[in-house]
Amino acid sequence: MVDSIFEKRGLLEDIYKQIDETAKLLNLSKNTIAKLKSPERAVVVSCPVEMENGEVRVFTGFRVQYNGSRGPYKGGIRYHPDVTLEEMIAMAALMTWKCAVVNIPFGGAKGGIACNPLEMTRKELMRLTRRYTEMIRPIIGPEKDIPAPDLNTNEDVMAWIMDTYSMVNQYTVPGIVTGKPKCIGGSEGRKEATGRGVAIITREISNMFFGKPVEVAIQGFGNVGSVAAKVLSDFGFKIVAVSDYYGGVYSADGLNIDELLSHVEKEGTVSTYPKGDKISNKELLELDVNLLIPAAVESVINSENADDVKAKVVVEAANAPITYEADRILNERGITVVPDILANAGGVVVSYFEWVQGLERYFWKADRVFRELEDIMISSLHEVLSVSKDKEVDMRKAAMMLALKRVAEAHEARGLWPQ
Ligand code: NAD
């Protein structure tokens, strides 16, 4: 399907290169590879919305269900002007691998709407969300496909999706989305889950490489970066630099993360924090530190700056922050990369817990959520490291091998229908 219909560029091109590479290492059959390279369903919808000024604007939305061999499709919904079908396919594939690496019983999906939420009112966003939900309703459901927040969507958007779906069904369906407000069935710890998972993986890797907590630079101070910074500093790590869209701040003695969090709450950015030196995003990525955590946007480490990265270990907290070519360069230079599908899987793990709680109508305390999250993150890391050692491949290839093997096994066990 993909080979003939969709244009393979950017991230999607990288995804297909990784599938080919991994399939070779796993010696997968031609038939299985063809299955792994084809998104199972891609829906494009148009969503007319009456704006506050009376004008009707028609937005284009997507939902891609990449692979459901291991369970219901799972993946976020993003609102961004650059959303395209190709990007959704790539992200849905990543979600499939991510769920498989941490061995939770979900397939992978992704959705989005091409819009600029920064220029829309809350009412317009709610109307758009409700119309989009209605348009994709035939293919979503608590046993079919469970959306979650992603770029520019949050718990309010999830509440509107849940309400729209529930109103049309005429009963409350908490399992239709994850990442919703706690008052309607959201899980304890969901908001912090990705950043906490990143911190847990970073702590384990740091113990293995350096035997102790070391200094860290973090790009991005949003949901993921700020929580990772806080938990790592509680673990005893020295956070020497952080940045956001507007720039960053550096202090060789380590930044006070609690103070920084209060500063960001008031000022909206880390770049004006006075107790440190100003630093650009480019400089942050090139700092001479043991650990670097890109936690902002994709492709920030690319063929132009990969040679300038000095960190010994890079933990991918963002999705796809390192391009395929840059990954090759870092590898050649002996820099260890902990791949996104493992490092940032904490969010989908706690989404899984939220879905289970919604189906059972029985809610867990925060300490149970965090304990079970930690168990899954650590055991998944060790599984990846063990494949990496046995097969003598880097951690990204090892994680891909583990993921694709699990998806391929599920696909082969189920067979084809109709026969
Ligand atoms: P967010 O919007 O809360 O924060 C993003 C941060 O990155 C902000 O501090 C922003 O200022 C900064 N930023 C944006 N553009 C930048 C740029 N060009 N250069 C430097 N900094 C920039 O987003 P988030 O939820 O923290 O997600 C961050 C990354 O993690 C994304 O790649 C996302 O896909 C990925 N991710 C998030 C989750 C989750 O649960 N939130 C789960 C898995 C992966």
Side-chain angles (χ1 to χ4, degrees), residues 151-184:
L151 216 59
N152 294 325
T153 56
N154 54 21
E155 61 176 33
D156 294 345
V157 174
M158 295 306 112
W160 298 329
I161 294 178
M162 175 186 148
D163 185 65
T164 306
Y165 189 87
S166 300
M167 283 298 102
V168 177
N169 277 7
Q170 289 288 292
Y171 63 95
T172 298
V173 190
I176 179 64
V177 284
T178 58
K180 53 194 173 291
K182 279 188 203 160
C183 60
I184 52 171

Side-chain angles (χ1 to χ4, degrees), residues 291-354:
L291 276 164
L292 173 65
I293 305 184
V297 287
E298 56 202 53
S299 307
V300 291
I301 300 177
N302 46 53
S303 47
E304 274 162 36
N305 63 358
D307 276 320
D308 303 319
V309 170
K310 295 179 195 68
K312 297 184 183 62
V313 178
V314 184
V315 179
E316 290 189 316
N319 281 321
I322 302 177
T323 62
Y324 183 84
E325 179 55 17
D327 194 51
R328 196 190 54 74
I329 297 171
L330 296 184
N331 222 329
E332 262 178 24
R333 296 184 49 222
I335 296 171
T336 296
V337 174
V338 184
D340 48 4
I341 58 172
L342 170 68
N344 71 26
V348 78
V349 169
V350 176
S351 270
Y352 167 52
F353 298 159
E354 180 173 329

Side-chain angles (χ1 to χ4, degrees), residues 49-81:
V49 175
E50 185 175 342
M51 310 301 276
E52 304 271 15
N53 65 4
E55 178 202 352
V56 172
R57 282 189 57 196
V58 183
F59 296 90
T60 304
F62 306 91
R63 185 72 182 168
V64 175
Q65 298 172 334
Y66 194 87
N67 187 298
S69 296
R70 289 172 41 85
Y73 304 102
K74 184 88 190 82
I77 288 178
R78 66 170 52 180
Y79 290 176
H80 196 275

Side-chain angles (χ1 to χ4, degrees), residues 20 37 78 98 101 134 153 165 181 184 233 249 253-254 293 313 316 346 359 361 396 400 404 407 413:
D20 282 333
K37 283 179 139 184
R78 66 170 52 180
K98 197 178 292 185
V101 166
E134 181 51 20
T153 56
Y165 189 87
I184 52 171
S233 101
V249 57
D253 298 331
I293 305 184
V313 178
E316 290 189 316
L359 295 184
R361 305 289 205 275
R396 189 189 306 284
M400 282 294 289
L404 261 62
V407 177

Side-chain angles (χ1 to χ4, degrees), residues 78 98 150-151 190 194 219-225 243-245 281 295-297 317-319 344 347:
R78 66 170 52 180
K98 197 178 292 185
D150 191 64
L151 216 59
R190 171 61 187 87
T194 306
Q219 183 191 43
F221 206 70
N223 182 300
V224 179
S243 68
D244 59 25
Y245 180 78
N281 269 291
V297 287
N319 281 321
N344 71 26

